[in-house]
Amino acid sequence: MDKKQLGKSDLLISPIGFGAWAIGGGDWAFSWGPQDDNDSITAIHKALDLGINWIDTAAVYGLGHSEEVVGKAVKSASQKPYLFTKCSMVWDDKREITNSLKQIRREVEDSLRRLQVEAIDLYQVHWPKPDEDIEEGWTVMADLQREGKVRWIGVSNFSVSQMERALKIAPITSNQPPYSMLNRAIEAEILPFTHKHNIGTINYAPMHSGLLTGAMTKERVASFPSDDFRRNAKNYQEPLLSRNLSIADFLKTVGTRHNVTAGVVAIAWTLHNPAITAAIVGGRNAEQVEGVTPAVTFRLTEAEYAEINAFLAAHP
């Protein structure tokens, strides 16, 4: 497995990491629906056994629950991965979520406790909101790094101008943006900027939250639990849903040539961009993890990459 250096850090990471959003469980604003914790722990162990060496989570996933599950899984695992988590989305006793860059010191202590570690390998600002507090928040992030509570600091969902403001205070190890063949907004400005400044990029939702796995159907979408955020996501609504499922079907034909799934092809498409360091890939059970792990080594040829792009252009 070819591991890549994340930005200017000493972190050498596998081409895909385990994404822990869905394992936060149900009953919160951005839930994927109910989730069995034993399935989550088994999925994490399977990912580590197959060579994935980093886990990306966030305090807000399940309102702390994802971090707790990750902490339990890693404590009982034979391999010890890098742990990445995020701050700046906080909640109250009513489980209502708000954006804040003024509680980072409290947040890091809570995350350290839930993850059961003394230092977080990569600590990221989840969202740059409120925008006027970016400098204050990033200053605290830099302080935490100097104090040794976090090893490296990164951002998520930041624009170029917001990264430029943060860079005046302290270096940025990485940026975590959404990127898939259904969401290419970062190609114009953000990826060229991070590539130029050697800021690592770990993209989330390379399979667009399950839509490009090849396992999604209209019937499955219709039966999503009431607390699954995807029920209201635009790409899961018509007419986009039919278009997106046709793209997934096309990816199946590419994957069949190599005995890999449509999801693996979707992940490989994002990794084909030289500005992408690695991709975050979720898994809710060991079977799902095994299905996507070939993305660790599978790569598209230039001809296949062009073939997929031509299909996308023909189905805008």
Side-chain angles (χ1 to χ4, degrees), residues 89-140:
M89 295 184 74
V90 300
W91 59 95
D92 59 20
D93 292 341
K94 297 179 181 178
R95 303 175 70 84
E96 293 177 351
I97 299 168
T98 54
N99 294 98
S100 172
L101 291 166
K102 293 183 178 294
Q103 303 182 51
I104 292 175
R105 281 200 169 274
R106 175 188 64 78
E107 287 193 81
V108 77
E109 296 297 341
D110 289 343
S111 289
L112 288 167
R113 172 179 50 80
R114 288 189 290 255
L115 291 167
Q116 304 182 54
V117 293
E118 294 184 359
I120 293 164
D121 294 301
L122 178 69
Y123 201 44
Q124 304 155 97
V125 175
H126 204 156
W127 286 91
K129 298 176 182 178
D131 178 80
E132 62 270 19
D133 292 340
I134 286 175
E135 283 79 4
E136 178 182 350
W138 194 245
T139 297
V140 174

Side-chain angles (χ1 to χ4, degrees), residues 220-234:
R220 186 173 171 187
V221 172
S223 65
F224 279 158
S226 60
D227 59 348
D228 192 321
F229 84 98
R230 294 174 295 178
R231 289 179 66 95
N232 299 315
K234 67 176 184 179

Side-chain angles (χ1 to χ4, degrees), residues 57-73:
T57 184
V60 77
Y61 297 161
L63 309 187
H65 190 64
S66 175
E67 287 186 333
E68 291 174 347
V69 173
V70 169
K72 289 178 184 177

Side-chain angles (χ1 to χ4, degrees), residues 138-139 141-143 145-146 153 163-173:
W138 194 245
T139 297
M141 296 285 284
D143 289 343
Q145 185 179 25
R146 282 190 289 269
I153 54 176
M163 283 188 281
E164 288 174 333
R165 287 160 56 191
L167 283 171
K168 293 177 181 177
I169 297 169
I172 299 172
T173 297

